[in-house]
Amino acid sequence: MVNQNLYELGTKPSAIRELFEYGKKKAAEIGAENVYDFSIGNPSIPAPECVKEAIIDAVSNMDSISLHGYTSAQGDAATRGAIAEYLNQTYQTNFHADNFYMTCGAAASLCIVFHALTTPEQDEFITIAPFFPEYRVFVENAGAKLVVVSADIPDFQINFAALEAALTPKTKGVIVNSPNNPSGSIYGEETVKKLAALLEKKSAEYGHAIYLIADEPYREIAYDGVEVPYLTKYYKNTLVTYSYSKSLSLPGERIGYVLVPDEAEESREIYAAVCGSGRSLGYVCAPSLFQKVLVKCMGQTGDISEYQKNRDLLYGNLTKMGYECVRPQGAFYLFVKALEPDAAAFCEKAKEKNLLLVAADGFGCPGYVRISYCVDGEMIRRSLPAFEALAAEYK
Amino acid sequence: MVNQNLYELGTKPSAIRELFEYGKKKAAEIGAENVYDFSIGNPSIPAPECVKEAIIDAVSNMDSISLHGYTSAQGDAATRGAIAEYLNQTYQTNFHADNFYMTCGAAASLCIVFHALTTPEQDEFITIAPFFPEYRVFVENAGAKLVVVSADIPDFQINFAALEAALTPKTKGVIVNSPNNPSGSIYGEETVKKLAALLEKKSAEYGHAIYLIADEPYREIAYDGVEVPYLTKYYKNTLVTYSYSKSLSLPGERIGYVLVPDEAEESREIYAAVCGSGRSLGYVCAPSLFQKVLVKCMGQTGDISEYQKNRDLLYGNLTKMGYECVRPQGAFYLFVKALEPDAAAFCEKAKEKNLLLVAADGFGCPGYVRISYCVDGEMIRRSLPAFEALAAEYK
């Protein structure tokens, strides 16, 4: 009687969520201090103070109807204008308010874009492993096909030969996520230029634009001064999906946007389809209070240095113990090669030592595990003997 | 290159929004006090004080990570439990936290339910005119067909002969909206009992459940002590879609829920499909701060008596002038018979007098106009001579 696909999606156990629930149960048994839960990508640093101040200011000084009423479907013009201005100042771009459609967060942004671009012609979207597993759910729900290009191991940049082989006349878009969940890698300028050149060549060959979908919730989580190139400047047919979940530590508040630059081919048609897509999915008007809060928090972030400390602590110690991994340049994940070919079996062994790690099979990268280090630094310190003991088992 | 249906949906002018924009332009020309904009259903009374207090309390006393972090996909257990308890006390029901899936508002609730219930078997959903026009967008986007049963004029209860004729083995659900947008009518207990009996009879005849989808954003906006029967008590296969937009005057904040009662057939399968539907549409985790706020505002509303005063003022005066309409029992709309058969032409004449009314053709009820009285009472007073002059034109 119900939709079978959605029923299965709703009952299929999420490995990450199961692990998280297991962790809570185990913590109740043996004490929270003895469980090392690295499963979840929930920001562990508080929102910057401007968020609290902006909320209190808004509820104290704005009238309730302006504050909590419907904004226009695409979002407050003031909010969209402030975002345009911030990006223009930061990245020397030329956006304006009407390039932006405010959304209820990253998942909404992605769903809206995939639906807007998907025609009945069996469109394909390519993503590059390792990748956020929900891409598959969103792309397939929009009626398109997700094509996965294998990872470029051990650097986690782009395997261009594999990407070129995967491009076909059916390719509607390529999804990139830099800084990357789960590898922590960032596509540098060289990678981005090569990517743009390839997509331009193939667009010309096929006679239609291949859109680059830049999924950028981790844009501001970058370390050591590494720059994250702004992709619209390198490839005109770039659409950006953004969320403030990570930069402002507001994952629960569901606020983000879709950016459709003027320079994209059929820019106004895409923007209209984005509006229609939002409407048909029930997404008009992103949360109003947080639209107002954003205006007061442009360019701010939580204290990212906390993540960097965690990265240094974990990366430094794990590599000393003999674990293989690339040094993450951004996001808050360490992507580690499992000490046996079967990452799930490796995670089971880790679990016996109360280390909760996520096997990366679901991210399209078997043989690896994801360690989320958006956690209390003290927990990392307490966990080190367990990592040591785990490594010892394989010696 | 883009999805053609969504492009058209994104560019198709919304009559209501166009009127609203016209009103703003006209106000700039001739002064806001001379334009009588009755087009939009945006609550005009402030949120109750508990909303502001709960927001300030939460940001002052909760840690940022608990407050703004992801809740579970279906929403905070505490929030869902508080809603269950409130409904149980108020309506003598037996709900528990796991009957509820928190959403980003009414549109999201509806989209999630339609997708969850729709199979590839050409399912049909019936609604009863006059109806909220977005039902069609949401039902069709889910892959089902919307069947409209004509209005029961002039009472705006249910035309049971027409409803029975519309029911077929393909009917997956019947959507009702009481208190009703745009008629302001409420289905009394007698109507509800007849509806339940008909759906039970037809479910038995077809050998499968016909779900009743109770879309209830206006539940608390009822006047003169009129009771709004709680439909799950009359028909076990009722699913409720709810939003706090109207009751708490928070339309911009996008917070509501789907209720799947235990007594519904395949209750757990539907709930799982609702979870899968939310996930596939990118709707997991409703806005977190407002989930916390709700817990502190159970059973509260803005000052509904303001709407009642507006209703009395407008209904009393318009009927005296000779306009025909049913006295609204709830919601904040007056549904008036146009003074000529073509409601759009009537609205154009009204516009010449700076009265902005919405022709109800899009609501499936030609020949009527919707007057939203969620406005400043002073504007209603100022508008009365224009209504008088409009009526005079037809004498």
Side-chain angles (χ1 to χ4, degrees):
Chain A
M1 280 294 286
V2 301
N3 183 297
Q4 206 54 32
N5 290 340
L6 298 181
Y7 169 73
E8 278 162 26
L9 198 60
T11 44
K12 197 159 52 178
S14 148
I16 296 177
R17 191 153 288 277
E18 275 198 335
L19 206 55
F20 180 69
E21 297 297 334
Y22 169 86
K24 283 203 292 192
K25 215 178 109 197
K26 196 76 188 175
E29 276 173 35
I30 63 169
E33 71 283 6
N34 299 314
V35 178
Y36 317 115
D37 185 350
F38 294 98
S39 65
I40 296 274
N42 217 351
S44 59
I45 59 175
E49 201 57 24
C50 60
V51 169
K52 179 175 166 179
E53 286 165 8
I55 292 173
I56 291 179
D57 181 49
V59 297
S60 306
N61 299 316
M62 281 185 76
D63 78 278
S64 168
I65 293 162
S66 310
L67 178 57
H68 300 303
Y70 289 117
T71 67
S72 69
Q74 66 271 40
D76 262 338
T79 304
R80 293 180 289 117
I83 296 170
E85 195 183 346
Y86 164 71
L87 291 176
N88 293 343
Q89 279 178 10
T90 309
Y91 302 110
Q92 294 76 54
T93 48
N94 285 298
F95 304 130
H96 53 87
D98 290 343
N99 295 127
F100 296 85
Y101 184 93
M102 301 304 300
T103 69
C104 295
S109 299
L110 289 164
C111 285
I112 287 171
V113 166
F114 296 143
H115 276 83
L117 291 181
T118 298
T119 66
E121 316 298 325
Q122 299 195 290
D123 287 322
E124 296 176 354
F125 290 90
I126 295 175
T127 195
I128 293 154
F131 66 98
F132 180 48
E134 296 301 275
Y135 288 165
R136 184 181 302 282
V137 175
F138 301 155
V139 165
E140 289 179 357
N141 185 260
K145 185 181 163 192
L146 186 75
V147 175
V148 179
V149 168
S150 58
D152 181 41
I153 291 173
D155 290 337
F156 298 107
Q157 291 290 310
I158 294 176
N159 179 338
F160 279 99
L163 176 58
E164 182 156 4
L167 287 160
T168 79
K170 290 183 177 172
T171 306
K172 179 54 75 73
V174 174
I175 312 160
V176 293
N177 173 227
S178 162
N180 184 260
N181 169 13
S183 75
S185 64
I186 290 173
Y187 294 161
E189 197 170 36
E190 193 189 342
T191 297
V192 169
K193 284 183 172 167
K194 275 179 80 173
L195 176 62
L198 175 62
L199 295 184
E200 270 157 23
K201 185 181 87 171
K202 286 292 181 176
S203 295
E205 185 181 323
Y206 301 146
H208 64 77
I210 298 170
Y211 292 99
L212 182 62
I213 294 141
D215 180 32
E216 304 207 327
Y218 298 99
R219 162 161 288 280
E220 288 79 12
I221 321 285
Y223 310 122
D224 310 323
V226 170
E227 295 222 350
V228 184
Y230 206 82
L231 299 189
T232 63
K233 296 170 70 180
Y234 296 85
Y235 184 65
K236 67 174 184 171
N237 286 320
T238 299
L239 311 178
V240 179
T241 58
Y242 186 80
S243 155
Y244 290 90
S245 291
K246 317 298 180 189
S247 57
L248 290 178
S249 289
L250 297 175
E253 303 302 354
R254 324 311 291 138
I255 186 82
Y257 59 77
V258 173
L259 161 59
V260 183
D262 283 343
E263 55 266 37
E265 272 179 47
E266 300 195 62
S267 172
R268 288 295 88 191
E269 287 76 8
I270 296 173
Y271 189 84
V274 161
C275 292
S277 179
R279 187 175 158 194
S280 79
L281 296 168
Y283 274 125
V284 293
C285 174
S288 179
L289 168 61
F290 280 92
Q291 288 195 52
K292 273 80 177 173
V293 167
L294 290 188
V295 175
K296 305 280 183 73
C297 299
M298 283 296 144
Q300 304 218 40
T301 66
D303 180 8
I304 307 295
S305 72
E306 289 295 316
Y307 295 139
Q308 181 153 346
K309 278 183 217 156
N310 286 354
R311 180 202 63 170
D312 293 343
L313 182 63
L314 202 57
Y315 177 80
N317 279 283
L318 264 60
T319 47
K320 254 186 251 162
M321 293 175 198
Y323 289 97
E324 266 179 61
C325 56
V326 145
R327 188 160 180 264
Q329 298 174 291
F332 37 53
Y333 308 103
L334 195 68
F335 205 54
V336 179
K337 195 169 177 188
L339 297 178
E340 60 179 297
D342 181 346
F346 175 72
C347 287
E348 279 304 311
K349 287 218 179 73
K351 210 164 144 188
E352 289 167 15
K353 310 213 173 320
N354 299 315
L355 285 169
L356 308 188
L357 318 180
V358 175
D361 299 64
F363 293 85
C365 202
Y368 279 76
V369 299
R370 186 186 83 166
I371 302 180
S372 297
Y373 57 79
C374 43
V375 296
D376 178 12
E378 281 310 308
M379 188 191 90
I380 297 179
R381 274 186 201 92
R382 284 197 308 273
S383 75
L384 294 175
F387 277 111
E388 188 84 62
L390 181 63
E393 281 203 14
Y394 288 92
K395 268 170 191 157
Chain B
M1 279 294 287
V2 301
N3 183 296
Q4 205 54 32
N5 289 339
L6 299 181
Y7 169 73
E8 277 161 28
L9 199 60
T11 45
K12 198 160 49 180
S14 148
I16 296 178
R17 191 153 288 277
E18 276 198 335
L19 207 54
F20 180 69
E21 298 297 334
Y22 169 87
K24 285 202 291 191
K25 215 177 108 196
K26 197 75 187 174
E29 276 174 36
I30 63 171
E33 70 284 7
N34 299 313
V35 178
Y36 317 115
D37 185 351
F38 294 100
S39 64
I40 295 273
N42 216 349
S44 60
I45 58 176
E49 202 57 23
C50 61
V51 168
K52 179 174 165 178
E53 286 163 8
I55 292 173
I56 291 179
D57 181 50
V59 297
S60 305
N61 299 317
M62 279 184 77
D63 77 280
S64 167
I65 293 162
S66 310
L67 178 57
H68 300 302
Y70 290 117
T71 69
S72 69
Q74 67 270 41
D76 262 339
T79 304
R80 292 181 288 118
I83 296 170
E85 197 184 343
Y86 164 71
L87 291 177
N88 292 343
Q89 280 178 10
T90 310
Y91 302 110
Q92 296 75 53
T93 48
N94 285 299
F95 304 131
H96 53 87
D98 290 342
N99 295 126
F100 296 85
Y101 184 94
M102 301 305 299
T103 68
C104 295
S109 299
L110 290 164
C111 285
I112 286 172
V113 165
F114 295 142
H115 276 83
L117 291 181
T118 298
T119 66
E121 316 298 326
Q122 298 194 290
D123 288 322
E124 295 176 354
F125 290 90
I126 295 175
T127 194
I128 293 154
F131 66 98
F132 180 49
E134 298 298 275
Y135 289 165
R136 184 181 301 282
V137 174
F138 301 155
V139 164
E140 290 179 356
N141 185 260
K145 184 180 162 191
L146 187 76
V147 175
V148 179
V149 168
S150 57
D152 181 40
I153 292 173
D155 291 337
F156 299 107
Q157 291 290 310
I158 294 176
N159 179 338
F160 279 99
L163 176 58
E164 182 156 5
L167 287 159
T168 79
K170 288 183 177 173
T171 306
K172 181 53 76 73
V174 174
I175 311 160
V176 293
N177 172 227
S178 163
N180 184 261
N181 169 12
S183 75
S185 65
I186 290 173
Y187 295 161
E189 196 172 35
E190 193 189 343
T191 297
V192 170
K193 283 183 173 166
K194 274 179 79 172
L195 177 62
L198 175 61
L199 295 184
E200 269 158 23
K201 185 182 86 170
K202 286 292 182 176
S203 294
E205 185 182 325
Y206 302 146
H208 63 77
I210 298 170
Y211 292 99
L212 183 61
I213 294 141
D215 180 32
E216 306 207 327
Y218 298 99
R219 161 160 289 279
E220 288 78 13
I221 320 286
Y223 310 123
D224 310 323
V226 170
E227 294 220 353
V228 183
Y230 206 83
L231 299 189
T232 63
K233 295 170 70 180
Y234 296 86
Y235 184 65
K236 66 174 185 170
N237 287 320
T238 299
L239 312 178
V240 180
T241 57
Y242 186 80
S243 154
Y244 290 90
S245 292
K246 318 299 182 190
S247 58
L248 290 178
S249 288
L250 297 175
E253 304 302 355
R254 326 309 291 139
I255 185 85
Y257 59 76
V258 172
L259 161 59
V260 183
D262 283 343
E263 55 267 37
E265 271 179 47
E266 300 196 61
S267 172
R268 288 295 87 191
E269 287 77 9
I270 296 173
Y271 190 84
V274 161
C275 292
S277 180
R279 186 176 159 193
S280 79
L281 296 168
Y283 273 126
V284 293
C285 173
S288 179
L289 167 61
F290 280 91
Q291 287 195 51
K292 273 81 179 173
V293 167
L294 290 187
V295 176
K296 305 281 184 71
C297 298
M298 281 298 144
Q300 305 217 40
T301 65
D303 180 8
I304 308 294
S305 73
E306 288 296 316
Y307 295 139
Q308 182 154 346
K309 278 183 218 157
N310 286 355
R311 179 202 64 170
D312 293 342
L313 182 62
L314 202 57
Y315 176 80
N317 279 283
L318 264 59
T319 47
K320 253 186 254 163
M321 294 174 199
Y323 289 98
E324 266 180 58
C325 55
V326 145
R327 186 159 183 266
Q329 299 175 290
F332 36 54
Y333 308 101
L334 195 68
F335 204 55
V336 179
K337 196 170 177 188
L339 296 179
E340 60 179 299
D342 181 345
F346 176 72
C347 288
E348 279 304 310
K349 288 219 180 72
K351 210 165 147 188
E352 289 167 15
K353 312 215 173 314
N354 299 317
L355 286 169
L356 307 189
L357 318 179
V358 175
D361 299 64
F363 294 86
C365 202
Y368 280 76
V369 299
R370 186 186 83 166
I371 302 180
S372 299
Y373 57 80
C374 44
V375 296
D376 179 11
E378 281 309 308
M379 188 191 89
I380 297 179
R381 275 187 200 90
R382 285 197 308 273
S383 75
L384 294 174
F387 277 111
E388 189 83 63
L390 181 62
E393 282 204 15
Y394 288 93
K395 266 172 195 158

